[in-house]
Amino acid sequence: MRPRLAAIHNVVHLLFRRLRMPLIVVICTYAVSIVGLTLIPGIDDQGNPWRMSMFHAFYFVSFMGSTIGFGEIPYPFTDAQRLWTTAAMYATVTAWLYAIGSLLALVQDPAFRRVVKAAAFARAVHRINQRYYIVCGYGDTGSLLVGVLAANGIRSVVVDIDQSRIDALEIAGLPLEIPGLCADAADPASLIESGLRGKHCAGVIALTNDDQVNLTVAVTSKLIAAHVTVICRAEFEDTEANMASFGTDHIINPFVTFADSLAMAVHSPSMYLLNDWMTSTRKLPMEELVSPPRGTWVVCGYGRFGKAVCNRLPSEGINTVVIEANTEGTHAPPSAVRGRGTEAVTLKEGRIEEAVAVIAGTDNGTNNLSIVITARDMNPELFAVARQTERREDPMFAAARLDMVMQPWVIVASRVWSLIRNPILAEFLRLARDQDNAWANVVISRITAVLEEEPPDTWMLSITPNDTPALYAALDAAMDRGEQISLSDLLRDPRNRDATLACVPLLLMRSHEQALMPEGSAAIHKGDRLLFAGAAHVADTMRWTTQNANTLEYVLTGSERPSGFVWRLFAREQGE
Amino acid sequence: MNLEKVFFAFFIVLALTLNFGFVMGDFDNPDHHNVYEFFAALVVSLIATVLKVGDRTHIGAVLLATSLVADLQLIAAAVVWAIAEHAVGIGATPSIMASIVSLSSGAVLANLMSVLLLAVETVMVRR
């Protein structure tokens, strides 16, 4: 049976199971009262002996039992009848109270409410008729991601083990209805209930703070629905390897990802800015360049975060001094300074005065802030990086004016979002990494030149009959004439073809070939995928060009194409 | 021995026997059809229905359906009887009695189906 029907069936089953006894009691009390009334002799208004019929008895008991009480009808009762009625009155009213009491108790029963909620959840999941993602874990990362998805019109289904987080989802006021289930994501049943087998299920995103749970989700999803995309957060390297062996599509380790971007920021500030801007979950104007200095960096905390940073930074020509309270347990290098880093003594021992930057990377956000503030007191020129551990610490971290803040949820959510939103964006960023800082500078200046203060956006254009019908047909026609349509034709403004749309083509993908920053003269082929960056409204204009044959005709040739059949015939004759 | 099964079988069979007893006799002779027997058959049939509601097995679902059919037939008969006696006031004439008994006979068939299903289920269990 499908989960939705099974869930509703559960509700009905439980309802009748519990109400079986009360219903039987009501039926029996009614039966005895009715039979008694018909058997006891009465007297009619003329003083003749009279007996109540079944019909009258049923009528009388019905209004008596429900305490409506119309009185003694059709004739006033004899004392014998009143005696029986007295007994029947107490019996039927008690039976009703028992039945209604059982019903109310059942409705308030936590088990019953759970079943009702599960049924409502199953119905909500079943009603989704567009692609959706199952998000496991609605903590800082999950809530940020679900909010971004909802803001962009992408549906999701949330599973979390903590009821208070599901409550938070319900009151979050998201623009779409997001069904939430309070269940253990590691239990395959809860994933199936969340629509893993549904035909619109596009992917499963495991973001819980437990690596084992994320691993179980990855395994379950790949086994049950092999076609869905599985994206997992992993904080330990061994789970990462295990997930990869199960064919998990994308594994995101927030610590390694941050260490990579930190290294990128040192290596090529423009590349870092480009990356940061393109993967951002918010549409913000481009920010200022961050350029971390080269020299000696003091790293406080040698946990997963500290290790990831210390592994990555030396390749960029940076020396690290580690400060760690538990040097043995974390296998810190022998040169490590023992201490928490919050005290001036330890920082002094780590020679903070000579360092150029400090990374406060312990697993306690308040301590990290304290480290940065103490360190800055001793060396005001420090480049400060701190690890934030909870989203509610936002105001504190904003007030501390840090150069870089490591927020695991932002890192994971923006990675996931860049993977979901635009599959070829990830490809572009991968290719961009092999380029140098000068290249990134050019890209950034070209993008900022077309933007004019508007928030930037990236979008993909696939040359397929579905996405770009007009362009697809035009390519067919052009091929017959032996002509080509070039990229610069697509960039013409459909309102005035001599003007150019305010966007920058970033990538042209053709089966296995990729061209970064393609030239305007590049020919467009069927099946190509293009990545553009520019103001968000330009994407709509471009969609107009590629989907409307008349607009495309104007953009390509400069002549308005007659749209009606008669006018087209007329135009052809004139042409001949 | 399962007390629930005893309970249910008791009511299913009792519904059939009471109903059968009511239908027995001359088809249209009101003297041969006792109103109390009819009332008892209706009440027992209702109880049997409630007992079967919420059973998840396939045979439970079919039993619920046959019980509901019996209830429906008997309630229809009761309504006909009440209308004839009280609303119209013609009383239990042979033609009215005939329609009451024919409706009840339909319920007998449904009850019989229930008993047969019960017998089948019992034979299948074999313990």
Side-chain angles (χ1 to χ4, degrees):
Chain A
M1 199 182 282
R2 282 180 304 178
R4 181 178 69 106
L5 288 177
I8 294 167
H9 197 75
N10 280 343
V11 176
V12 177
H13 179 251
L14 199 59
L15 194 73
F16 280 106
R17 265 269 135 122
R18 297 281 187 87
L19 291 184
R20 187 178 281 177
M21 206 56 212
L23 282 176
I24 289 176
V25 168
V26 168
I27 293 177
C28 291
T29 341
Y30 264 53
V32 172
S33 311
I34 291 170
V35 170
L37 279 174
T38 60
L39 289 178
I40 298 165
I43 293 166
D44 71 6
D45 48 355
Q46 267 104 46
N48 302 320
W50 168 81
R51 275 214 194 167
M52 220 180 218
S53 71
M54 279 285 175
F55 170 68
H56 277 129
F58 178 67
Y59 177 57
F60 179 79
V61 171
S62 294
F63 67 64
M64 175 186 69
S66 53
T67 70
I68 292 168
F70 286 148
E72 298 173 346
I73 38 185
Y75 308 117
F77 284 2
T78 63
D79 285 352
Q81 278 176 316
R82 283 181 183 155
L83 187 67
W84 178 252
T85 305
T86 310
M89 214 168 353
Y90 284 104
T92 49
V93 170
T94 314
W96 269 123
L97 284 180
Y98 171 47
I100 291 169
S102 306
L103 184 66
L104 290 180
L106 177 64
V107 169
Q108 287 179 344
D109 185 352
F112 183 74
R113 298 178 92 139
R114 257 201 311 281
V115 173
V116 170
K117 269 201 169 159
F121 174 77
R123 223 175 314 131
V125 171
H126 188 81
R127 269 206 307 262
I128 302 180
N129 53 4
Q130 62 186 85
R131 81 181 167 132
Y132 59 88
Y133 290 88
I134 299 173
V135 178
C136 305
Y138 192 73
D140 285 335
T141 317
S143 54
L144 179 61
L145 178 66
V146 168
V148 171
L149 289 179
N152 288 278
I154 299 174
R155 304 287 299 259
S156 46
V157 176
V158 171
V159 184
D160 198 298
I161 201 160
D162 185 353
Q163 180 62 44
S164 64
R165 289 185 179 163
I166 298 297
D167 296 342
L169 168 68
E170 277 165 16
I171 57 172
L174 296 170
L176 294 175
E177 187 202 344
I178 306 292
L181 176 71
C182 174
D184 186 2
D187 178 2
S190 47
L191 285 179
I192 292 171
E193 228 174 297
S194 312
L196 181 58
R197 286 198 174 122
K199 65 174 177 206
H200 296 301
C201 180
V204 179
I205 303 162
L207 302 173
T208 70
N209 50 14
D210 184 338
D211 269 23
Q212 278 309 313
V213 172
N214 293 345
L215 176 64
T216 317
V217 169
V219 174
T220 315
S221 312
K222 275 293 167 195
L223 286 179
I224 293 179
H227 64 279
V228 305
T229 311
V230 178
I231 303 175
C232 279
R233 160 179 160 178
E235 295 188 354
F236 293 92
E237 274 172 25
D238 50 337
T239 26
E240 234 178 288
N242 204 341
M243 283 172 182
S245 71
F246 260 97
T248 307
D249 300 84
H250 304 282
I251 303 157
I252 302 162
N253 182 326
F255 304 118
V256 173
T257 310
F258 182 78
D260 280 346
S261 22
L262 191 62
M264 188 193 284
V266 175
H267 183 81
S268 158
S270 304
M271 190 69 80
Y272 169 75
L273 178 65
L274 192 65
N275 242 287
D276 190 44
W277 165 70
M278 286 203 167
T279 56
S280 169
T281 51
R282 293 170 296 173
K283 286 178 186 159
L284 289 178
M286 269 199 193
E287 283 173 36
E288 293 295 305
L289 275 183
V290 182
S291 34
R294 282 192 167 85
T296 304
W297 289 37
V298 175
V299 178
C300 300
Y302 197 68
R304 288 164 298 173
F305 177 63
K307 285 193 182 82
V309 171
C310 290
N311 283 340
R312 197 68 186 77
L313 286 183
S315 62
E316 302 301 335
I318 287 171
N319 302 320
T320 51
V321 174
V322 174
I323 297 181
E324 166 63 51
N326 179 4
T327 41
E328 289 85 23
T330 54
H331 305 291
S335 61
V337 177
R338 208 187 168 100
R340 276 199 299 176
T342 47
E343 322 86 356
V345 189
T346 347
L347 289 172
K348 193 167 222 117
E349 206 180 327
R351 288 188 298 182
I352 196 81
E353 288 95 340
E354 295 159 33
V356 291
V358 61
I359 299 182
T362 70
D363 54 6
N364 181 322
T366 317
N367 281 352
N368 289 344
L369 279 181
S370 152
I371 291 170
V372 168
I373 292 164
T374 318
R376 270 189 175 160
D377 278 344
M378 300 163 73
N379 181 352
E381 300 302 309
L382 278 178
F383 182 87
V385 182
R387 167 179 169 192
Q388 190 180 340
T389 48
E390 281 179 64
R391 207 171 166 182
R392 59 175 180 199
E393 295 163 345
D394 273 346
M396 288 152 65
F397 275 79
R401 288 202 305 280
L402 298 154
D403 296 290
M404 273 174 105
V405 183
M406 189 272 182
Q407 297 165 314
W409 55 95
V410 174
I411 291 169
V412 175
S414 39
R415 275 282 289 159
V416 175
W417 172 230
S418 67
L419 291 169
I420 288 177
R421 149 168 86 156
N422 195 331
I424 75 170
L425 179 62
E427 185 64 19
F428 170 76
L429 293 176
R430 196 180 61 77
L431 292 169
R433 270 177 206 216
D434 301 334
Q435 308 292 323
D436 56 10
N437 197 38
W439 180 87
N441 261 328
V442 171
V443 175
I444 289 176
S445 58
R446 282 188 61 187
I447 294 174
T448 25
V450 298
L451 275 179
E452 296 170 353
E453 305 290 311
E454 279 187 77
D457 198 7
T458 56
W459 66 91
M460 183 174 85
L461 192 71
S462 316
I463 317 296
T464 60
N466 270 338
D467 291 353
T468 53
L471 182 58
Y472 200 81
L475 280 169
D476 263 336
M479 209 196 289
D480 290 344
R481 293 194 301 268
E483 292 169 8
Q484 279 191 331
I485 296 178
S486 67
L487 181 56
S488 55
D489 290 329
L490 290 187
L491 295 179
R492 287 178 192 277
D493 192 328
R495 279 155 299 202
N496 171 16
R497 66 189 295 269
D498 297 329
T500 309
L501 287 174
C503 66
V504 180
L506 295 177
L507 180 67
L508 171 66
M509 277 184 79
R510 181 172 305 151
S511 55
H512 294 293
E513 294 170 47
Q514 302 106 345
L516 270 177
M517 307 300 289
E519 296 293 324
S521 57
I524 305 288
H525 289 220
K526 285 193 225 168
D528 283 358
R529 285 185 296 167
L530 288 148
L531 181 70
F532 294 95
H537 67 87
V538 178
D540 296 328
T541 318
M542 192 175 277
R543 222 167 284 138
W544 185 28
T545 317
T546 54
Q547 294 178 355
N548 185 321
N550 293 345
T551 318
L552 184 66
E553 178 86 9
Y554 165 73
V555 163
L556 293 179
T557 65
S559 64
E560 299 273 1
R561 179 174 131 161
S563 50
F565 175 74
V566 175
W567 281 111
R568 224 176 290 160
L569 212 65
F570 187 65
R572 201 181 301 159
E573 272 177 11
Q574 267 199 334
E576 278 167 2
Chain B
M1 195 181 76
N2 185 339
L3 201 65
E4 191 189 340
K5 294 269 181 269
V6 175
F7 224 66
F8 182 66
F10 171 79
F11 277 101
I12 282 282
V13 176
L14 189 64
L16 174 65
T17 52
L18 283 170
N19 207 347
F20 184 72
F22 169 74
V23 171
M24 281 298 279
D26 279 348
F27 199 62
D28 53 1
N29 186 346
D31 293 340
H32 292 186
H33 304 288
N34 187 294
V35 68
Y36 288 107
E37 204 167 6
F38 176 75
F39 182 75
L42 177 55
V43 169
V44 170
S45 184
L46 283 176
I47 292 176
T49 308
V50 172
L51 282 176
K52 220 55 208 171
V53 166
D55 189 324
R56 287 190 199 229
T57 60
H58 183 80
I59 211 148
V62 181
L63 276 169
L64 174 63
T66 54
S67 300
L68 281 173
V69 169
D71 293 347
L72 206 70
Q73 294 258 353
L74 288 174
I75 289 171
V79 169
V80 169
W81 205 331
I83 287 174
E85 288 274 5
H86 301 284
V88 189
I90 49 173
T93 59
S95 71
I96 293 292
M97 206 63 230
S99 62
I100 292 168
V101 174
S102 71
L103 280 168
S104 308
S105 320
V108 170
L109 262 187
N111 284 334
L112 198 64
M113 290 284 293
S114 297
V115 172
L116 282 177
L117 283 171
L118 192 72
V120 167
E121 195 189 15
T122 316
V123 169
M124 275 164 60
V125 172
R126 281 190 200 165
R127 60 181 152 80

